[in-house]
Amino acid sequence: QQQQQQQQQQLQHQPHVPILVLDELDSGVGSRLGSSVGAMLRRMAAGSSQVVCVTHLPQVACFAEHHVKVLKHFQPPLEGSQQEGVNSSSSSRRRKRGRITTRFAVLSTYEQRVQEVAEMMGMNEDVARNLLQQAWGMQGQQ
């Protein structure tokens, strides 16, 4: 955890980085520090950088200017594809096991973000609104 914090501090003081892609930078951080990580990422993005961050922490997601939800869906195997062929290709093996597809949904309204943050927290929408308002330093809606 200390190493992650040092890396975050180093990133903050790096020269211009046009796009920074972070995959679960907050892994192992926990909800107590999530808001601090989110605020730091927002400060980094306020300069001349663009930050793309994958997170499972609603405390981090609340600080984002844009919120994109990743939706994964399992497609079961095709009917009649249970027989194993001698020379089965990788695509036919996938059909036998099924596959996972991924979609991205842009949460473009404040209410969509409220609903998603509430779902991420497992709490009601009032708690989610409060968290979003704290992240954006405002009393009303975004």
Side-chain angles (χ1 to χ4, degrees):
Q1 186 176 2
Q2 186 178 7
Q3 182 182 9
Q4 280 182 331
Q5 289 174 343
Q6 288 172 345
Q7 288 172 343
Q8 291 168 2
Q9 289 173 351
Q10 288 172 351
L11 286 173
Q12 226 173 351
H13 301 292
Q14 292 294 321
H16 173 68
V17 178
I19 298 175
L20 190 59
V21 179
L22 306 167
D23 185 12
E24 298 187 30
L25 173 75
D26 52 17
S27 177
V29 170
S31 60
R32 282 189 179 171
L33 294 176
S35 293
S36 297
V37 172
M40 181 200 64
L41 292 171
R42 181 182 303 148
R43 285 192 305 273
M44 290 170 63
S48 56
S49 296
Q50 182 174 2
V51 177
V52 177
C53 180
V54 176
T55 183
H56 294 276
L57 283 180
Q59 293 85 349
V60 173
C62 283
F63 281 87
E65 186 173 337
H66 302 282
H67 191 145
V68 178
K69 181 178 181 175
V70 179
L71 302 159
K72 293 190 178 186
H73 176 73
F74 176 73
Q75 293 178 329
L78 297 175
E79 195 173 314
S81 63
Q82 297 300 319
Q83 295 177 344
E84 190 70 41
V86 175
N87 293 323
S88 62
S89 68
S90 63
S91 62
S92 65
R93 284 194 302 270
R94 267 185 257 133
R95 283 194 299 269
K96 291 173 186 153
R97 292 186 299 227
R99 63 184 239 179
I100 296 174
T101 58
T102 305
R103 286 187 322 121
F104 299 94
V106 177
L107 307 181
S108 55
T109 69
Y110 179 75
E111 284 306 312
Q112 288 173 325
R113 290 189 73 178
V114 167
Q115 290 170 359
E116 177 59 18
V117 169
E119 188 176 310
M120 290 173 80
M121 291 190 308
M123 304 288 280
N124 66 44
E125 291 183 6
D126 289 336
V127 176
R129 273 191 192 83
N130 186 36
L131 189 59
L132 280 160
Q133 290 167 359
Q134 287 176 10
W136 285 88
M138 53 194 306
Q139 299 303 311
Q141 288 187 0
Q142 232 181 359

